[in-house]
Amino acid sequence: MNVKSLVTIKGVKDGLVFLLDDACELEALIDELEAKLEKHEQQLAGPIVHIQIKLGARQLPEEDKERIRSIIRKQGNFVVQSIESDPLPVGPADYSSYKVETVTGMVRSGQTLEHEGHLLLLGDVNPGGAVRSTGDIYIMGALRGVAHAGCAGHAEAIIAASLMKPTQLRIADVISRPPDEWASGESWMEYAYLKDGAMQIDKMAHLHHIRNRALQAKGV
């Protein structure tokens, strides 16, 4: 039965790359690294060789990285250039860190306004126009086009408009009901939100029902 190697050494233009298994115990990895270097000591002797260490998904503190450097330095002619882990996955930004930014103007047909954070739009969104924001969307005007709030995955986002007549609403990955169901004809400002994974609409005056505190417009 073949046993998977915990240390793979590959030659590259500028030296050698050590690919270290990221799923095994660290001590087992250290043992195999030492054994492999001792086994090939004569073959690897010679001029200066630059070494890149690839840890995969493993994240190591500096003291463990220094252990690896020390083992490799025993070869004398090996110089460790870098010890790198794969980048940590990046998730959506913290919703509570978003600030409100005010934009003035009209979003016309064929235009898309994209924004990072909470958006306060002083103007209309015409049919064929679209607004996308990672946070909330507040439209002081008529929403007759498409609005997508929480587009980075924030299901707590809302979409509010003085006149709510959209062609489509979307919060996170949830798409609204057919447009005719939003034609309330009421004169008060309304907002759309998610409840149990479904789109709902309510008066803006009732926002406190789902928000324990008022949103502070820090960036206006």
Side-chain angles (χ1 to χ4, degrees), residues 56-219:
R58 190 190 299 271
Q59 303 290 326
L60 289 180
E62 188 56 37
E63 55 265 33
D64 287 332
K65 290 181 181 180
E66 185 56 34
R67 290 179 66 192
I68 293 174
R69 290 190 190 97
S70 297
I71 293 169
I72 293 177
R73 278 199 298 261
K74 290 178 182 178
Q75 294 300 315
N77 63 319
F78 280 10
V79 176
V80 179
Q81 271 193 320
S82 63
I83 300 181
E84 299 177 347
S85 300
D86 294 340
L88 293 172
V90 178
D94 183 2
Y95 189 79
S96 63
S97 70
Y98 285 153
K99 296 181 180 180
V100 181
E101 182 176 338
T102 302
V103 176
T104 302
M106 180 183 296
V107 180
R108 304 180 187 277
S109 178
Q111 295 180 329
T112 298
L113 172 61
E114 299 201 24
H115 182 72
E116 179 78 22
H118 303 304
L119 172 65
L120 173 60
L121 175 65
L122 305 182
D124 297 335
V125 180
N126 287 347
V131 178
R132 298 180 74 251
S133 178
T134 56
D136 297 338
I137 295 175
Y138 302 91
I139 298 173
M140 302 302 291
L143 171 57
R144 295 189 174 91
V146 176
H148 183 184
C151 61
H154 296 298
E156 63 267 51
I158 68 167
I159 300 169
S162 299
L163 180 63
M164 185 75 81
K165 291 184 177 294
T167 54
Q168 185 188 92
L169 296 178
R170 184 170 178 177
I171 297 176
D173 294 325
V174 178
I175 299 175
S176 67
R177 299 169 294 178
D180 56 353
E181 296 188 30
W182 294 100
S184 63
E186 303 294 349
S187 58
W188 50 67
M189 190 170 185
E190 296 172 307
Y191 74 98
Y193 65 101
L194 295 183
K195 181 179 180 181
D196 299 326
M199 193 84 70
Q200 305 290 332
I201 192 169
D202 201 352
K203 297 180 182 179
M204 194 64 182
H206 296 164
L207 180 60
H208 65 279
H209 291 167
I210 65 169
R211 293 278 173 88
N212 294 327
R213 59 181 178 80
L215 181 66
Q216 297 179 357
K218 299 178 182 178

